Amino acid sequence: MIPIAKPDFGPEEVMAVAEVLSSGMVAQGRRVAELETRWADFVGIRHAVAVSNGTTALMSVLAGLGLGPGDEVITVAHTFAATANAILSTGASPVFVDIEPDTYLIDAARIEAAISPRTRAIVPVHLFGLVADMDMIEAIARRYGLAVVEDACQAHGATYRGRRAGSFGHGVFSLYATKNMTTAEGGFVTTNDDRLADWLRLYRNQGMRTRYEFEILGYNFRLTDVAAAIGLVQLEKLPRNTARRQAIAARYDEALADLPVALPVVPADRTHVYHQYTVRVGPRRDEILADLRAHGVGADVYYPLPVHRQAYIQERGLHADLPVTDQAAAETLSLPMYPGLADDEQAIVIEAVRRAVERFGGLDEPGVRAEEPGVRAEA
């Protein structure tokens, strides 16, 4: 089976971990500090605060902004549940708006209508490796005095008008095993807010600046030096691995362009880092997916049950009418995408996709085809 994703680990990571283990300093030490400095420089921001995973990164920055019961945060339901869960962890409530039908990112034109007197923040999700429309989002946030927290967990190195994900407002990254850059588990918060960065460093360390002196209520959300050592190697590999992902995506684009499917759209002002290569294949998606898997292709769906339809969300009365999100959940699938995907393996994936679409059909709208690379579809 050709997997949907696979981490790029080699002897460099093994050697880096061995060096940490032999040093005797394995938790929140020199390598964590070095990784934070280098990630902040990479993103183009003053502070990067490393934590134990992407979820705790989201939870921490939202807590640091002072969100609490009665507050509302605008976000999307077409995302991993951690986005909404982190909002709920503060006592605040997520307010879901729909996504764009071509990029699957938050439809910024819908945000303003969702703002209420209780709205405190906007959390756009840079899904699959593409940055949301940050010009419009930042303009709305300024007009209403709202914080912006970018969920950039899938967008390591992606850019919008030359600026990297995580440099608008406050950013959050995951370093989970299958992400474009990994520490096996880990995360970052990026920010230009000195006060928030200081608070986050206390919060992740049980509220301590000096040992056994607890300045605030905090938790153990620290990253280990073992993980940071892996991250430093991964950061060196990131440009190369991003270029490889983009090359794989370009081959998919070319090979599947004549099929009745919608391929990923990349607006001209952005770069896509292809955490996932996601294709809309139409109402027989599940049959196409089963056929791919039967032929050894580990395709998958992100996400088959959107957050707004999860039972624990509905039990809280957080209802939303999101037809574009529902359509994406029903009609899209993602193809294998990772730097180690060999050319002959990709050829197998392409042939399997072509065969499955020809057998089951694709999009049911007549004449629908993939958009040209770099050109955004009409909404």
Side-chain angles (χ1 to χ4, degrees):
M1 179 73 75
I2 299 170
I4 184 73
K6 188 177 183 182
D8 177 24
F9 290 147
E12 307 97 323
E13 284 87 355
V14 173
M15 184 179 300
V17 168
E19 289 175 357
V20 170
L21 294 178
S22 64
S23 75
M25 173 59 75
V26 297
Q28 196 66 55
R30 177 176 61 82
R31 285 171 178 81
V32 171
E34 181 182 354
L35 181 61
E36 290 176 327
T37 297
R38 291 182 57 190
W39 187 251
D41 290 344
F42 177 80
V43 172
I45 204 128
R46 282 206 299 274
H47 303 283
V49 181
V51 293
S52 54
N53 55 63
T55 303
T56 55
L58 276 165
M59 292 170 64
S60 298
V61 70
L62 294 173
L65 293 173
L67 295 180
D71 293 333
E72 293 179 347
V73 178
I74 295 172
T75 191
V76 293
H78 190 50
T79 182
F80 187 59
T83 308
N85 294 353
I87 296 167
L88 290 168
S89 75
T90 68
S93 297
V95 174
F96 301 111
V97 299
D98 218 341
I99 57 175
E100 297 171 335
D102 52 359
T103 66
Y104 311 120
L105 303 175
I106 189 169
D107 188 340
R110 298 178 183 270
I111 291 174
E112 196 162 9
I115 293 174
S116 80
R118 298 194 297 174
T119 306
R120 293 282 309 282
I122 306 169
V123 179
V125 179
H126 302 329
L127 199 68
F128 302 147
L130 187 65
V131 180
D133 186 346
M134 294 309 299
D135 276 356
M136 184 177 290
I137 291 167
E138 285 198 310
I140 294 169
R142 285 193 298 269
R143 188 179 311 131
Y144 290 90
L146 306 176
V148 175
V149 177
E150 303 167 70
D151 183 336
C153 288
Q154 299 183 0
H156 306 68
T159 65
Y160 176 90
R161 300 196 174 182
R163 290 176 60 183
R164 284 202 166 103
S167 67
F168 305 85
H170 316 291
V172 171
F173 294 86
S174 168
L175 297 170
Y176 179 66
T178 58
K179 294 298 191 288
N180 293 35
M181 171 182 162
T182 181
T183 59
E185 275 282 18
F188 289 119
V189 177
T190 54
T191 183
N192 279 321
D193 185 326
D194 298 337
R195 183 210 62 82
L196 178 62
D198 183 65
W199 187 91
L200 288 166
R201 292 187 176 103
L202 285 172
Y203 190 68
R204 72 167 177 199
N205 192 38
Q206 303 281 19
M208 293 186 294
R209 196 186 314 272
T210 302
R211 195 177 187 194
Y212 301 130
E213 293 182 15
F214 303 94
E215 298 181 29
I216 64 170
L217 172 64
Y219 301 94
N220 179 3
F221 291 162
R222 295 186 297 264
L223 189 71
T224 69
D225 264 31
V226 174
I230 296 171
L232 287 165
V233 176
Q234 288 277 304
L235 181 53
E236 290 290 333
K237 292 181 175 182
L238 184 59
R240 179 197 75 189
N241 284 349
T242 298
R244 176 58 183 159
R245 287 174 181 272
Q246 291 167 338
I248 292 168
R251 186 180 180 193
Y252 278 143
D253 285 345
E254 181 179 5
L256 305 177
D258 63 321
L259 295 180
V261 301
L263 303 182
V265 170
V266 186
D269 55 4
R270 302 173 220 187
T271 60
H272 202 314
V273 297
Y274 294 101
H275 175 62
Q276 300 292 350
Y277 186 93
T278 299
V279 183
R280 183 166 156 246
V281 297
R284 300 188 71 181
R285 188 273 312 279
D286 290 348
E287 292 163 285
I288 292 172
L289 180 63
D291 194 71
L292 291 175
R293 290 173 173 172
H295 287 88
V297 174
D300 213 336
V301 176
Y302 302 96
Y303 298 91
L305 187 64
V307 176
H308 73 296
R309 296 202 176 276
Q310 298 286 342
Y312 77 101
I313 293 292
Q314 295 190 344
E315 288 167 1
R316 287 167 167 78
L318 302 173
H319 306 300
D321 181 22
L322 307 174
V324 183
T325 295
D326 288 333
Q327 183 182 54
E331 296 191 358
T332 63
L333 59 80
S334 296
L335 302 179
M337 172 57 76
Y338 51 94
L341 183 68
D343 290 347
D344 59 342
E345 292 175 316
Q346 189 177 13
I348 293 170
V349 175
I350 290 167
E351 178 58 30
V353 171
R354 296 190 64 85
R355 181 173 52 243
V357 171
E358 288 167 4
R359 178 179 179 188
F360 296 105
L363 297 174
D364 54 6
E365 298 97 326
V368 172
R369 291 294 185 271
E371 292 80 7
E372 292 296 320
V375 178
R376 181 165 166 181
E378 294 298 321

